[in-house]
Amino acid sequence: MSKTLILSIFALYSSASFAHTTQVLNGYWQYDEYLEAHPKQQQLTTQLSDEVRRYPTPLAVQQQKPVTISVVYPGQQISDYWSRNIKAFETRLEKLGVSYSINQVFTRPNIDVRQQSLSLLEAVQNDSDYLIFTLDTTRHRKFIEHVLSSTDTKLILQNITTPVRAWDHQQPFMYVGFDHIKGTRVIESYYKEQVEKESRYSVLYFSEGYVSDARGDTFIEEMSHHDDYKLSSSFYTKATRDSGYQAALAAIEKDPNLKFIYACSTDVALGAADALTDLERTDILLNGWGGGTAELEAIAEKRLNVTVMRMNDDTGIAMAEAIKWDIEGRAVPHVYSGDFELVTSENSAGKLEKLKQRAFRYSDQ
């Protein structure tokens, strides 16, 4: 594929592209900032975090009827985060003794627009008690605002932990995920420790939207505080393995002296790993993001150097606990972020196994 064609597929930015970064999450509360500004929420979030780590305590009241839950996830990815999340969610609901019915739809990230729209419309028309969705694009935001203003359905936003400031008068039932900024800073610290000064790097984004902003632009902003690290290029991808492959090829063609590539998602990272393998560039460091099964296998094979591993099942458990608390009439926190661990290709097999047992404690059953 020619460089011209590659650049027509991907949006390539110069190092000046991070000038807007400080404003990228300007319309959102950052996770810690929100909790500091709302002490009651801080208390509730801490209580939920403690509950997630404990063995389940069964529902304390008698349900009048099963709760109805609709789930629309961008789950058609190599990353198994979404499928594991649902399994952990349902397993915890069952252990809590919550009676429920669930309708779930998995789509491709930012591609199956019609399928997403139809599934969301069906959830609203069916008066689901809870709708679990995500917020990554302007299109998502418009739908969410409709749900908030015109239905009684309680909205759980997955994979986002930064409340929208414009919704302060009517926030969704819950934001839940693994805070993208916290996770990004874990990888940032690794690169600053491992990579020599005056190094150049490339950023491979997810598709355009909130996840790319929070993971990609945050990383660029943090690295720009240290003049020794130079952004050589950045590319939006189609959030697929193939697009990650093509973007990595373009980045290396533009600058063969890259020291590392920062990838914003699993699929993109694995595509970049394929490119590095084909080019025999074992000298370029590469990260994953999330630490799911595919990434851990690549770490073990030394195809990825590092990842920030989400304790994956935390968020499914947190959603189940939140619904249980709601049925019991208890206050539910607006935000919850699960735990992270740094994983590198130097970690022992024993350590990785212990982390898997913790992260996948329900979804591996």
Side-chain angles (χ1 to χ4, degrees), residues 204-248:
L204 308 188
Y205 287 105
F206 198 63
S207 54
E208 290 191 66
Y210 173 86
V211 170
S212 283
D213 293 344
R215 295 181 183 176
D217 285 354
T218 295
F219 183 83
I220 293 170
E221 181 180 34
E222 294 290 329
M223 297 302 284
S224 73
H225 294 161
H226 301 262
D227 294 336
D228 296 321
Y229 300 95
K230 306 296 183 183
L231 177 65
S232 174
S233 61
S234 59
F235 298 80
Y236 281 115
T237 71
K238 295 181 179 179
T240 63
R241 187 169 189 158
D242 181 65
S243 64
Y245 179 87
Q246 299 297 343

Side-chain angles (χ1 to χ4, degrees), residues 123-178:
V124 171
Q125 289 176 338
N126 290 342
D127 293 324
S128 297
D129 294 313
Y130 302 92
L131 169 59
I132 308 175
F133 188 44
T134 191
L135 170 58
D136 191 41
T137 67
T138 301
R139 185 177 65 250
H140 294 161
R141 182 164 176 159
K142 289 179 178 178
F143 175 82
I144 290 164
E145 288 173 346
H146 169 72
V147 173
L148 292 175
S149 64
S150 59
T151 77
D152 293 327
T153 297
K154 294 179 178 179
L155 192 59
I156 298 175
L157 291 183
Q158 170 61 264
N159 204 32
I160 175 172
T161 60
T162 53
V164 176
R165 288 181 180 272
W167 297 343
D168 278 350
H169 66 290
Q170 189 181 26
Q171 290 286 357
F173 177 69
M174 190 181 191
Y175 298 83
V176 59
F178 293 85

Side-chain angles (χ1 to χ4, degrees), residues 5 23 39 45 59 62 100 107 132 149 185 218 223 237 265 272 275 295 298 302 306 308 312 324 326 344 348:
L5 183 55
Q23 300 178 11
T45 296
L59 183 67
Q62 185 70 38
Y100 71 96
T107 65
I132 308 175
S149 64
R185 286 175 175 158
T218 295
M223 297 302 284
T237 71
S265 75
E295 284 191 14
K302 311 289 187 181
V306 62
V308 57
N312 197 99
K324 173 200 154 188
D326 193 39
T344 77
S348 68

Side-chain angles (χ1 to χ4, degrees), residues 92 94 98 127 133-134 140 177 191 201 253 312 359:
R92 186 70 164 204
E94 289 159 8
V98 174
D127 293 324
F133 188 44
T134 191
H140 294 161
Y191 280 130
Y201 69 98
E253 181 179 355
N312 197 99

Side-chain angles (χ1 to χ4, degrees), residues 293-311:
T293 303
E295 284 191 14
L296 295 179
E297 289 175 354
I299 287 275
E301 296 166 357
K302 311 289 187 181
R303 300 180 68 244
L304 292 177
N305 301 95
V306 62
T307 191
V308 57
M309 183 178 178
R310 297 173 288 210
M311 296 298 98

Side-chain angles (χ1 to χ4, degrees), residues 31 34-35 38-52 130 154-157 160-161 163 171-177 314-315 317-326 329-338:
Y31 182 73
Y34 183 80
L35 294 178
H38 301 82
K40 178 61 175 176
Q41 290 299 317
Q42 174 76 75
Q43 181 182 357
L44 289 171
T45 296
T46 299
Q47 290 172 355
L48 181 59
S49 296
D50 291 343
E51 197 70 32
V52 166
Y130 302 92
K154 294 179 178 179
L155 192 59
I156 298 175
L157 291 183
I160 175 172
T161 60
Q171 290 286 357
F173 177 69
M174 190 181 191
Y175 298 83
V176 59
D314 283 2
T315 49
I317 294 169
M319 293 190 304
E321 289 289 345
I323 288 175
K324 173 200 154 188
W325 287 15
D326 193 39
R330 299 167 60 186
V332 173
H334 289 161
V335 294
Y336 169 84
S337 177

